[in-house]
Amino acid sequence: MILQNRIYYVYLKQDDPKKSTMKKLEHYGLAIKIRANMIGKKLVLTPYSDTYLLNSDSFIYTNYGICLIDGSWNLIDTIKNLRVKNARRLPLLLPVNPVNYGKPGKLSSLEALAASLYIMGYPDAAFEVLSKYSWAQNFIIINMEPLEEYKKCKNNEECRDAEKLFF
Ligand SMILES: C[S@@+](CC[C@H](N)C(=O)[O-])C[C@H]1O[C@@H](n2cnc3c(N)ncnc32)[C@H](O)[C@@H]1O
């Protein structure tokens, strides 16, 4: 079950809106679009963070929510200087989305969200968000072994070591 009003995204208008995975989740009532100045203490997923997302971050998720930055990978530099309180990176995983299939780390917002929910201990919510796209069905299955390892990590160093086991 997905906790109500905990999944947010900032939309950067860099891609075809019809292809935005977060807009689709919003359509199903599973995500809320916000402006960057509303991020506050929410977890923010950005590959530029030095801090890995941990299972223990579920405390921040349940209290403040999680926010994706929905832009284009081609313009990812735009968010390089984003300064927020609770920025997090994900350890490497394999995307299954049609644009970046098989390129380690280049996850869609939907995949990044599902991976985060899984690592924080919400597998049912992860499967629920993935269920909205047929191409996304195998994302957890394909990444099950790394995800299970990442879920056990207690700090950055353990995440880095776990990543090296698979990539
Ligand atoms: C660059 S956007 C591309 C989104 C794509 N247009 C879509 O509709 O799904 C993907 C977003 O997912 C999150 N993300 C993807 N991979 C990540 C990683 N390795 N670490 C942290 N966040 C990640 C970030 O919020 C990132 O901005």
Side-chain angles (χ1 to χ4, degrees):
M1 247 265 302
I2 292 195
L3 296 177
Q4 285 295 304
N5 302 336
R6 295 294 192 288
I7 298 173
Y8 302 90
Y9 71 104
V10 172
Y11 186 60
L12 299 181
K13 298 185 185 160
Q14 295 174 340
D15 274 338
D16 178 354
K18 291 196 202 85
K19 294 189 182 151
S20 160
T21 56
M22 294 310 290
K23 275 196 174 289
K24 184 149 171 170
L25 288 191
E26 185 179 25
H27 171 79
Y28 286 105
L30 296 175
I32 300 168
K33 186 166 76 172
I34 59 169
R35 292 188 303 275
N37 64 3
M38 294 163 71
I39 286 175
K41 294 181 183 171
K42 296 173 184 59
L43 288 169
V44 175
L45 290 178
T46 163
Y48 289 112
S49 175
D50 294 329
T51 309
Y52 286 92
L53 181 90
L54 300 176
N55 176 269
S56 55
D57 285 319
S58 61
F59 175 81
I60 306 178
Y61 168 62
T62 52
N63 281 287
Y64 303 105
I66 187 165
C67 182
L68 284 291
I69 308 292
D70 200 37
S72 163
W73 273 110
N74 295 331
L75 298 170
I76 193 72
D77 274 8
T78 325
I79 64 169
K80 199 171 187 169
N81 297 318
L82 183 72
R83 294 282 169 264
V84 288
K85 189 169 170 54
N86 289 320
R88 297 287 187 273
R89 71 184 295 142
L90 284 167
L92 288 173
L93 291 163
L94 285 181
V96 298
N97 70 75
V99 181
N100 286 308
Y101 187 93
K103 296 180 191 165
K106 278 204 150 183
L107 306 179
S108 63
S109 300
L110 176 80
E111 291 164 317
L113 170 65
S116 305
L117 292 169
Y118 195 93
I119 289 169
M120 292 189 293
Y122 298 92
D124 293 349
F127 282 110
E128 186 174 347
V129 294
L130 292 172
S131 74
K132 303 304 174 199
Y133 278 93
S134 54
W135 54 254
Q137 301 311 302
N138 286 333
F139 177 70
I140 299 286
I141 316 289
I142 283 178
N143 289 289
M144 182 65 85
E145 277 190 69
L147 280 170
E148 284 296 323
E149 281 306 310
Y150 298 158
K151 205 166 81 174
K152 294 182 210 157
C153 296
K154 299 271 183 286
N155 53 45
N156 257 6
E157 200 182 353
E158 288 185 11
C159 278
R160 259 191 299 271
D161 289 346
E163 221 173 20
K164 284 185 205 141
L165 292 175
F166 301 97
F167 294 94

